[in-house]
Amino acid sequence: IPNRFAGATVVVTGAGSGIGKATATRLLAEGARVIASDLDAERLDALSVEVGDLPLTTVVGDVSDDAVIAQIVEVGEGRITGLVNNAGIMDAFVPTAEIDDALWERVLRINVTAPMKLMRAVLPAMVEAGHGRIVNVASEASIRAGASGTPYATSKHAVVGLTKSTALFYGPAGVRVNAVAPGAVATNIEAPFRSELGAQRLGPIMQATVPAPATAEQLAASITWLLSEDSANVNGALLMSDGGWSTI
Ligand code: NAD
């Protein structure tokens, strides 16, 4: 394994499970210091045990909470060079007429507002350093409707606008901001490709188009590529990492 991230300090949200955990593990293996955030303290404890002596700092709490964001910045001590806005939640495949306000607000808060607030919090130090790398985790639901209910599709479309706009404003300052769109990935999230509710709500046609699920490690490879210098000329991009699902 190359040592692409020596000297980097990277924040990964939702690092207790799935794509976030695989990304944090890969970054640590390649020399980064990682600040891992998750709602779930037990999952973060398990990650700490798995990575042993590698430089991992954990922050427990809801990443849409201002106090948790302040804590992440504080443990970063002004040295945060990378951010992976990965924490996200699904929406139980809810169609528009059935959305209740609490679900709508929760999905938008965690999937859109939290990434905005975290970028807002880490950008000043990145601009001062003239260097920063941000990856926002979007979704197949960023480009089509058939992968989720309405709140989630809306939130993940918004992640693309958030990514492009931030890339436009901060690219000249040396900060690259990209998004990765996972298709089906085997994690703990309730996704349509394996759920009965997904089949009921979205129908068999959508389910039949979904390719075999990717591994979280495959997504970590795409995310760390966007964080690395191999993607030096890429800014504001939405990288489909979906096994070709979007070609159908
Ligand atoms: P996962 O449920 O396995 O892991 C997500 C982690 O985020 C969990 O440990 C959870 O506790 C944490 N989390 C959730 N809300 C949080 C909050 N408010 N604050 C802090 N931590 C929080 O899910 P995953 O599949 O690895 O999902 C990661 C990202 O990938 C999400 O943004 C999701 O929308 C996106 N995604 C996943 C798939 C898929 O098929 N798995 C497809 C497209 C996009």
Side-chain angles (χ1 to χ4, degrees):
I1 295 179
N3 204 33
R4 292 180 295 175
F5 301 107
T9 296
V10 186
V11 176
V12 182
T13 68
S17 169
I19 296 166
K21 181 174 184 178
T23 301
T25 305
R26 177 87 189 244
L27 285 166
L28 286 162
E30 292 196 48
R33 179 186 166 213
V34 170
I35 300 169
S37 115
D38 205 287
L39 271 178
D40 191 318
E42 278 176 28
R43 287 178 174 176
L44 287 179
D45 287 346
L47 176 64
S48 296
V49 171
E50 278 174 43
V51 305
D53 291 340
L54 293 172
L56 175 75
T57 308
T58 59
V59 176
V60 180
D62 185 334
V63 83
S64 68
D65 180 339
D66 289 329
V68 172
I69 292 170
Q71 205 185 329
I72 290 170
V73 172
E74 197 186 314
V75 300
E77 294 172 333
R79 294 199 306 257
I80 295 170
T81 57
L83 167 64
V84 182
N85 276 312
N86 164 77
I89 54 168
M90 254 288 197
D91 67 2
F93 316 103
V94 179
T96 307
E98 294 171 33
I99 297 169
D100 72 72
D101 288 353
L103 173 73
W104 176 262
E105 276 156 28
R106 206 160 80 88
V107 171
L108 273 284
R109 180 166 49 82
I110 295 170
N111 292 3
V112 185
T113 308
M116 178 281 288
K117 287 188 169 189
L118 265 162
M119 290 198 287
R120 187 173 66 185
V122 301
L123 275 164
M126 289 179 176
V127 169
E128 204 181 313
H131 172 97
R133 305 285 177 255
I134 299 175
V135 177
N136 295 322
V137 179
S139 171
E140 193 75 15
S142 293
I143 62 158
R144 61 160 102 198
S148 69
T150 304
Y152 185 84
T154 304
S155 75
K156 291 298 188 179
H157 275 66
V159 167
V160 179
L162 185 61
T163 301
K164 288 186 183 175
S165 187
T166 312
L168 172 75
F169 282 116
Y170 294 94
V175 182
R176 291 194 293 112
V177 188
N178 291 291
V180 68
V185 190
T187 68
N188 286 313
I189 214 166
E190 194 198 349
F193 60 90
R194 62 164 159 261
S195 119
E196 250 178 63
L197 182 63
Q200 276 168 29
R201 293 277 205 184
L202 298 167
I205 295 173
M206 186 285 308
Q207 237 179 6
T209 66
V210 188
T215 63
E217 288 72 22
Q218 287 172 322
L219 268 297
S222 296
I223 291 166
T224 53
W225 179 73
L226 286 172
L227 289 170
S228 80
E229 297 320 302
D230 282 343
S231 61
N233 195 39
V234 181
N235 195 25
L238 174 64
L239 174 65
M240 303 307 295
S241 181
D242 67 352
W245 190 12
S246 57
T247 62
I248 299 168

